[in-house]
C-alpha cells in the first residue's frame, strides 16, 4: 500500500513538472520575437496619426513574422498583417476602399441588428412588420413587403452614380483617398483627421467581426447571443 502511494505521488510530481516545463516554453522570454524588442512597461506600438507622418511604417502586429515589404506604411490601419501576400499583387487602394466601405456597412448593420433585437422601432412599423425580434423574420418580411428591394435599388443607384466614378478616378491617379466622398457636413475632419480615419477603420473591422458573430449566433441558437 505504501509503495502504491509513493508511486502515485511520484507520477503526480512528474506530470506537474512536465506542465511547468510546457508553460515555460511558451513564456515571453522563450518565444522568438526577432531583433525588435519592447519594454514590458510599454504598450504595443500603435499607429501614428500625426500630420505629415506615414501611418503604420513601423508597426508589425505579429513580431515573430517579418513585416511584408509590399506594405509601404502609407495606408490608414496598416498593422503589418498580410500573411497571404495580397499586397504584393493586388491594388491596395482598391482593397482599402473595399475595406472602408464594408466597415461602414457593418457599423450600420450592427446598430440596426441591435435596435431590432431590443425592440427599438419607429411608430407604425409593427403594423407592417409585426412585433418580431428575430432578425431573419424581420429580413424576410422586409423582402416580402418590398423594403429590401428599395434599399437595393437606391444603394445601387448611389453606387453606380457616385461610388464607381470615384473609385475609377482614384485608380486613374486623381489623388483621391480611399473612402473619401467629401461628405463632412459637421466639419469633424478639421481637427485630428488622421486619428479619426484610424478610428473609423478599426471600428469598421470590429463591426465586421461583430456582425458575423451575431448572425451566426442567431442561426445556431435562434437568437443573438447576450441579447434578450
Amino acid at each position: 500500500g505504501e509503495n502504491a502511494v509513493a508511486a502515485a505521488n511520484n507520477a503526480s510530481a512528474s506530470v506537474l513538472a512536465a506542465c511547468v516545463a510546457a508553460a515555460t516554453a511558451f513564456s515571453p522570454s522563450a518565444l522568438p520575437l526577432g531583433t525588435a524588442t519592447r519594454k514590458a512597461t510599454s504598450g504595443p506600438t500603435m499607429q501614428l496619426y500625426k500630420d505629415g507622418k506615414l501611418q503604420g511604417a513601423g508597426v508589425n502586429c505579429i513580431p515573430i513574422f517579418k513585416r511584408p515589404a509590399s506594405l509601404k506604411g502609407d495606408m490608414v490601419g496598416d498593422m503589418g498583417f498580410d500573411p497571404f501576400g495580397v499586397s504584393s499583387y493586388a491594388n491596395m487602394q482598391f482593397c482599402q476602399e473595399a475595406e472602408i466601405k464594408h466597415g461602414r456597412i457593418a457599423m450600420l448593420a450592427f446598430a440596426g441588428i441591435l435596435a431590432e433585437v431590443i425592440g427599438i422601432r419607429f411608430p407604425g412599423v409593427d403594423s407592417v412588420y409585426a412585433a418580431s425580434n428575430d432578425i431573419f423574420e424581420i429580413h424576410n418580411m422586409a423582402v416580402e413587403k418590398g423594403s429590401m428591394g428599395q434599399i437595393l435599388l437606391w444603394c445601387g443607384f448611389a453606387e453606380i452614380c457616385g461610388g464607381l466614378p470615384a473609385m475609377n478616378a482614384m485608380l486613374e491617379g486623381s489623388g483621391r483617398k480611399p473612402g473619401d466622398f467629401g461628405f463632412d457636413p459637421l466639419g469633424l475632419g478639421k481637427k485630428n483627421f488622421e486619428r479619426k480615419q484610424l478610428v473609423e477603420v478599426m471600428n469598421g473591422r470590429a463591426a465586421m467581426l461583430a456582425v458575423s458573430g451575431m448572425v451566426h449566433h442567431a442561426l445556431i441558437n435562434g437568437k443573438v447571443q447576450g441579447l434578450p
Side-chain angles (χ1 to χ4, degrees), residues 1-25:
E2 293 181 358
N3 292 334
V5 172
N9 289 336
N10 290 335
S12 299
S14 298
V15 171
L16 178 60
C19 292
V20 171
T24 304

Side-chain angles (χ1 to χ4, degrees), residues 73-126:
D74 56 354
M75 294 191 308
V76 178
D78 177 5
M79 302 300 294
F81 181 77
D82 185 16
F84 297 108
V86 175
S87 58
S88 64
Y89 60 85
N91 187 309
M92 293 309 294
Q93 285 187 315
F94 178 89
C95 293
Q96 190 178 23
E97 178 89 17
E99 181 187 37
I100 292 172
K101 185 173 293 183
H102 282 81
R104 289 169 177 171
I105 293 172
M107 287 187 280
L108 291 172
F110 179 86
I113 291 174
L114 189 64
E116 290 173 348
V117 171
I118 65 179
I120 299 176
R121 295 180 177 83
F122 286 105
V125 171
D126 288 348

